[in-house]
Structure formats: C-alpha cells, structure tokens
Amino acid sequence: MSGARRSLLIVTGAALALAGCSWLPDYFGAQSKPPLPGKRVSVLELERSLNPDPKLVDVQVRLPKPYVNPDWPEDGGYPSHAMYHLQLGYDLKQAWRADIGSGKESDERLSSQPVVADGKVFTWDAESHVSAFDAKSGNRLWRIDLTPEDKDSGAIGGGVAYDQGRVFATTAYGDVVALDGKTGKEVWRQRVGIPFRTGPTVDDSRVFAVSYDNQVHALNESDGKVAWTYTGVAENAQLLGGASAAVEKGIVVAPFSSGELVALRADTGRLVWSDSLTRAGRVSSVGTINDIAGR
C-alpha cells in the first residue's frame, strides 16, 4: 500500500510541475504567450530573395550582331569559352540521329559533350570510345577505344577537343592522347597517371588538361611532351565532371574543385593571379563542396 501511495504522489507531483510550465502546449491547459514583436528573418543562408536594382530600370540591353558559328571544337566552344551572340535558325529540325556508344550505367557516367570541326562530329562515350561522324549525313567514319589493355572499361571522366586536323582526348585512366582526325589513328599518347574528369583545351601549340587532383598539365601539341605542370590545392569532395581550362591571349584560367581559380602564363605556367570562390557560411553537407563546375 505504501508503494501505491508513493506512485500516486510521484504522478501527482509531476502533473503539478508540468502545469506550472509556460512552454506547454494548450492541451496541457497552459496559456500560450504571444510571439515576440518584430520582423522574422530567416537564419538560413540559402533563403534569399532577389530584388531588381531600381537604378537599372532604364538601362537598355544591347547585344552584338548575331553571327553563324561554323565549328565547336572544344567543350566551351573555342579556347576562350566566350561564344558571344550566336545566330540560331527559326525552323529547327532534326537532321540525323546516331548512336555514339555507351551512356549512363550503374558504374558509368557520360560527362563529356560532342565537338564539331572540319565537317565532322567527334564524340566521347562512357566507355572511353572516341567516334567521328560526318556532320551532314551522320555516318560513322571511325571509332577507337582508348581504354588501356590492362584496365577495365567504365571509368568516369574524359573528353575530346579538336585542333589542326587532330583530336585530343583526356581519359579517366590518366592518359592524354592525340588522334588523326581523318582516320582515328593514334599519333601520340602521354601517360600522366592521374584521372581526368573533363576534356582538354587546345590553343597555340599547347594542350591544357586539368586532372582530378587539381593540377594543370600543359603538353606540346606536336609530340605530347609535358611542357609544365601547375599544382593546386587537393580536394577530396568534388562533383562528377567539371570545367575545362580557358585560354585567351597567352593566359590560362583554370578552375579547381577546391574553389580556387588561377590564371597562369600559357608558355611557362607561372602564376599571374589567383582567387578563391569558397563560401564562408555552410548550412548543409553539400555546402562543403567548393567544386567549380561552370566555365
């Protein structure tokens, strides 16, 4: 009996203690206090509203005259990645359709885009195959597998670029390869040993490629020999794919997965300037990824 009384007293005492708390919901019988006065502002960094600048209301947007672009030899169009105002036809129709090879699978990803030059379309598939198609008919001209003999197919990354009759490819196996644009025959192969996630950039007798570990490799276009290498800050967390380097007037601008952006001399690799695009505030695990995926 004494045990029963103790249980009753504990329950009753707990109920009295709860009843005295002001933070209880209404179903406990407590009275809710009115909210604090003032304007509510979100503490989440990503919740922002964009408002137009009233000073720009009367500013007219003027575009340069549109022009017909004959080729698209690299991922970003031309080495500078600045394509300006391209002309597009009014009556777009599918000219042809062709199978370029393997696409997205459980262990494969296609992160490269086709390039167009010299009346041909050059493609890269998820199994490291490079193909050439006639730009008018879509007929396949040649196809070559760049997977090393001692490696399995299905590595993620790689891409192609075109310059002066040759197709230049970077692979996820750490190779930079030059192919004859007409036949697909291998001209030279340089083993770097570090995977490439994006295609190369070719300009002024140099092939520039950014490897997985944030290094810029400059190779001679003629024979594939390494001219110089610049090493950035390594980053473990990064996005699949990425952005290739841009080249303009002897300056190479390379983005890294660490959030670094560097400008280098194209002839020597000497650092001209650098900046960091990392975010100060991070509200989620995704916010810890600083990879620059845009060109």
Side-chain angles (χ1 to χ4, degrees):
M1 182 174 181
S2 60
R5 286 178 179 175
R6 277 198 299 268
S7 298
L8 180 59
L9 289 173
I10 292 173
V11 172
T12 305
L16 291 174
L18 291 174
C21 296
S22 60
W23 47 264
L24 291 175
D26 292 339
Y27 53 78
F28 277 112
Q31 298 296 325
S32 299
K33 289 186 177 181
L36 294 175
K39 180 181 179 181
R40 263 59 181 174
V41 180
S42 174
V43 296
L44 299 179
E45 181 186 6
L46 299 180
E47 291 189 4
R48 297 178 178 178
S49 58
L50 299 177
N51 297 315
D53 189 344
K55 298 179 181 179
L56 302 178
V57 173
D58 297 328
V59 175
Q60 295 183 357
V61 178
R62 296 181 180 272
L63 296 176
K65 184 179 179 180
Y67 70 99
V68 177
N69 178 55
D71 297 325
W72 195 281
E74 303 183 5
D75 278 350
Y78 292 109
S80 66
H81 295 178
M83 300 304 292
Y84 304 105
H85 192 187
L86 302 179
Q87 182 173 320
L88 185 66
Y90 292 100
D91 186 18
L92 298 181
K93 296 180 181 179
Q94 179 176 298
W96 50 264
R97 189 186 193 95
D99 183 5
I100 70 169
S102 178
K104 178 181 176 181
E105 299 292 345
S106 59
D107 60 343
E108 300 172 354
R109 294 292 185 273
L110 181 59
S111 57
S112 178
Q113 67 182 41
V115 299
V116 183
D118 193 27
K120 303 178 185 65
V121 178
F122 302 97
T123 64
W124 174 273
D125 77 349
E127 293 184 346
S128 302
H129 293 104
V130 181
S131 300
F133 299 86
D134 183 85
K136 293 183 178 180
S137 64
N139 295 329
R140 188 194 298 272
L141 304 176
W142 53 262
R143 186 179 190 224
I144 186 171
D145 186 3
L146 296 184
T147 305
E149 295 182 356
D150 58 341
K151 302 292 184 180
D152 295 330
S153 62
I156 300 175
V160 294
Y162 180 92
D163 187 62
Q164 297 185 16
R166 291 182 178 179
V167 179
F168 300 90
T170 50
T171 76
Y173 304 99
D175 294 332
V176 182
V177 186
L179 306 172
D180 184 274
K182 294 182 179 180
T183 63
K185 181 180 179 181
E186 185 172 311
V187 180
W188 55 256
R189 179 186 292 254
Q190 180 62 252
R191 177 69 176 167
V192 176
I194 306 167
F196 295 97
R197 293 289 184 252
T198 62
T201 302
V202 188
D203 183 72
D204 194 20
S205 72
R206 290 276 197 276
V207 180
F208 304 96
V210 181
S211 56
Y212 175 82
D213 60 345
N214 293 333
Q215 291 192 71
V216 182
H217 306 269
L219 291 75
N220 295 330
E221 185 175 350
S222 58
D223 55 14
K225 293 182 179 181
V226 178
W228 54 262
T229 300
Y230 176 87
T231 303
V233 178
E235 180 69 45
N236 293 326
Q238 54 184 271
L239 303 173
L240 291 178
S244 55
V247 185
E248 174 73 5
K249 296 181 179 179
I251 300 295
V252 181
V253 179
F256 294 147
S257 60
S258 61
E260 284 184 289
L261 192 66
V262 298
L264 312 168
R265 286 283 304 270
D267 53 352
T268 63
R270 183 176 63 85
L271 181 66
V272 179
W273 56 259
S274 65
D275 203 347
S276 178
L277 302 184
T278 57
R279 269 192 317 193
R282 300 173 180 176
V283 296
S284 66
S285 58
V286 179
T288 62
I289 301 178
N290 298 311
D291 199 350
I292 301 175
R295 296 186 182 91

